[in-house]
Amino acid sequence: MQRITRISDDKHNPAAIPVVALAHNERNILPDFLAHYRASCTASFLIVDDHSTDGSREYLAAQPDVTLFQPVAGAEFLKERAIWKSGLLDHYGAGRWCMAPDIDEHFVWPGMPGKSLEQYIAAIEAEGAEAVAALMIDMYGDMPLSDHLHDPD
């Protein structure tokens, strides 16, 4: 994998669905992100931490199902984020169903929560699907965007 290096033990479970994501100072929403995908499927998280200073890196490194990476010196997030995700997907997910959400995204599908992601995948494979495209819908309350703060409690 170019331009990133693994900085934790390799906790990848080859039988699990690879969930590839990039993180930067998102400690406040990481528990919800991980909980959503853990409840949805057997997940193996492959996360690139881009120099977080809010405890994200330490939190992720302590998780039993997260393999943590960081950019190499000189790498630039805006220019290389697609390369980081592609490299992880190629290395850990070739020929497999994978997820590549942002940390603030929760994928939902028809039949959820009663139908696991594995069951959904089996159903769409039976129809001949090889991929799923999803829309992201942002939802905000009735206040200025700058006033929205996620309270994990």
Side-chain angles (χ1 to χ4, degrees), residues 2-144:
Q2 297 180 340
R3 309 294 289 166
I4 58 172
T5 185
R6 186 168 48 83
I7 58 171
S8 74
D9 292 337
D10 187 348
K11 302 172 192 173
H12 176 63
N13 173 358
I17 295 175
V19 179
V20 176
L22 309 177
H24 177 77
N25 287 340
E26 298 180 278
R27 173 63 181 89
N28 64 326
I29 61 174
L30 286 169
D32 287 340
F33 173 81
L34 296 173
H36 173 77
Y37 290 100
R38 286 173 178 152
S40 302
C41 65
T42 302
S44 182
F45 298 95
L46 306 159
I47 300 180
V48 179
D49 178 72
D50 186 34
H51 309 291
S52 292
T53 58
D54 68 344
S56 292
R57 179 175 292 206
E58 295 79 9
Y59 175 79
L60 290 167
Q63 300 304 305
D65 50 2
V66 173
T67 302
L68 191 59
F69 301 83
Q70 73 178 7
V72 298
E76 297 181 45
F77 178 81
L78 290 177
K79 291 182 180 178
E80 300 184 51
R81 64 184 174 203
I83 294 169
W84 303 340
K85 273 190 174 184
S86 295
L88 289 171
L89 290 167
D90 288 346
H91 186 77
Y92 291 96
R96 307 196 54 220
W97 285 92
C98 302
M99 305 274 311
D102 287 348
I103 295 292
D104 63 350
E105 295 175 348
H106 292 185
F107 180 62
V108 297
W109 54 90
M112 187 182 178
K115 183 186 289 186
S116 72
L117 182 57
E118 289 92 347
Q119 290 170 318
Y120 175 65
I121 290 170
I124 61 174
E125 280 183 334
E127 296 174 1
E130 295 179 359
V132 173
L135 298 175
M136 184 177 77
I137 301 171
D138 288 324
M139 300 174 73
Y140 302 100
D142 190 18
M143 65 179 89

